[in-house]
Amino acid sequence: MKKKIFFSCLVFFMMCFSGYSQSPDYKNIDSAQKALEKYDSTGADYFKTCLFIANCYWHKETYDTAQIWLDKLAESGELKKNSALHYQHLSAQIKIYYERNLHQLGINECKDAIALAAKLNDSLLLRDACTMLGSLNYNIQNIPLSLQHFKEATKYSPLVNTNSQYIGLWGLYEIYMGMGYSYVETKNLDSA
C-alpha cells in the first residue's frame, strides 16, 4: 500500500513539474512562436522573431529546423532591402551551410554578405562576414586564404557585439581561434 501511494505521488509530481522541466532554450522558442501570432508576416518584428527562432535551433544543432525558419522569410520584403536584418538572414544561412559541410555554397553567400556589410558600412557585420569566410576556407583546406580573411576581420571593430539588434554574430573569440588553428596547420606555432 505504501509503495502504491509513493509511486502515485511520484507520478503526480512528475506531471505537475513537467512544464518546468523544459529547457530554457525551448521555452524561449515557444514564447517567440506565440509572439509571432501578434505580428504581420511582412513586418520587421516577424522577421526578427523568425531569425531569433532559427538561431535558437542552430545553437541546439537542429539545422533542418533552423533552415525551415529561414525559409519562412524567403518572400519577405526585408530581403530586398540593404539592411542589417537582410545581413543577419545571410549570416544565419551561411552558418547552416557551414555546419552541413556545404562550404562552397557558404563561400558564395559570404561574398554577398561582405558586399552587403560594406554597403551598410558596419564594422561588426564586416568582421562577422570575414570571420565566416575565413572559417569556410579553413574547412576546405585553403589555409593561406583563411588566414587572410581572419586577419582582415581583425581590422574591423575591436568591440564585442553588445548591439542587441544583431542576432548571432561571430566575434573576437572565433577570429582568434580560427587564426590559431590556421597557424597550427601552417606549422607556424609561435604565431598560433
Side-chain angles (χ1 to χ4, degrees):
M1 180 71 166
K2 288 182 182 181
K3 284 184 182 180
K4 202 175 205 181
I5 293 173
F6 173 75
F7 285 117
S8 297
C9 290
L10 182 64
V11 168
F12 173 75
F13 284 119
M14 286 174 52
M15 288 173 53
C16 289
F17 293 112
S18 66
Y20 296 104
S21 65
Q22 188 178 21
S23 75
D25 289 339
Y26 283 116
K27 285 182 181 180
N28 289 339
I29 292 170
D30 290 344
S31 298
Q33 286 176 335
K34 287 178 186 171
L36 278 177
E37 296 169 4
K38 297 182 229 173
Y39 302 136
D40 176 25
S41 64
T42 60
D45 289 332
Y46 183 88
F47 196 93
K48 288 177 191 177
T49 306
C50 286
L51 276 177
F52 172 78
I53 293 170
N55 203 42
C56 288
Y57 280 118
W58 181 81
H59 282 293
K60 297 196 84 42
E61 298 180 4
T62 51
Y63 307 118
D64 291 337
T65 309
Q67 184 65 55
I68 289 169
W69 282 95
L70 288 180
D71 289 345
K72 287 182 183 234
L73 302 173
E75 298 300 318
S76 173
E78 285 295 325
L79 295 181
K80 294 173 179 71
K81 300 178 188 175
N82 289 332
S83 67
L85 287 176
H86 182 185
Y87 175 85
Q88 289 175 77
H89 184 271
L90 276 173
S91 175
Q93 185 64 65
I94 292 164
K95 289 176 186 176
I96 290 172
Y97 289 152
Y98 176 85
E99 295 298 340
R100 289 182 170 174
N101 293 320
L102 300 170
H103 302 301
Q104 199 56 52
L105 286 172
I107 288 170
N108 293 338
E109 290 284 321
C110 271
K111 292 174 184 175
D112 293 341
I114 289 173
L116 180 57
K119 283 180 189 173
L120 295 171
N121 197 24
D122 190 318
S123 61
L124 283 173
L125 300 182
L126 282 164
R127 181 182 72 192
D128 181 62
C130 288
T131 304
M132 287 189 293
L133 192 52
S135 297
L136 287 162
N137 278 298
Y138 175 82
N139 285 341
I140 61 169
Q141 298 300 309
N142 192 341
I143 305 304
L145 197 54
S146 173
L147 273 170
Q148 176 186 337
H149 291 297
F150 285 130
K151 288 177 184 177
E152 181 74 19
T154 62
K155 294 178 184 175
Y156 298 110
S157 179
L159 304 173
V160 175
N161 177 26
T162 57
N163 189 336
S164 62
Q165 82 178 34
Y166 294 147
I167 300 170
L169 297 185
W170 285 1
L172 299 173
Y173 171 77
E174 286 84 7
I175 295 170
Y176 293 120
M177 185 175 66
M179 286 177 78
Y181 285 137
S182 297
Y183 280 126
V184 167
E185 288 290 323
T186 61
K187 308 283 190 259
N188 192 346
L189 301 181
D190 290 338
S191 295

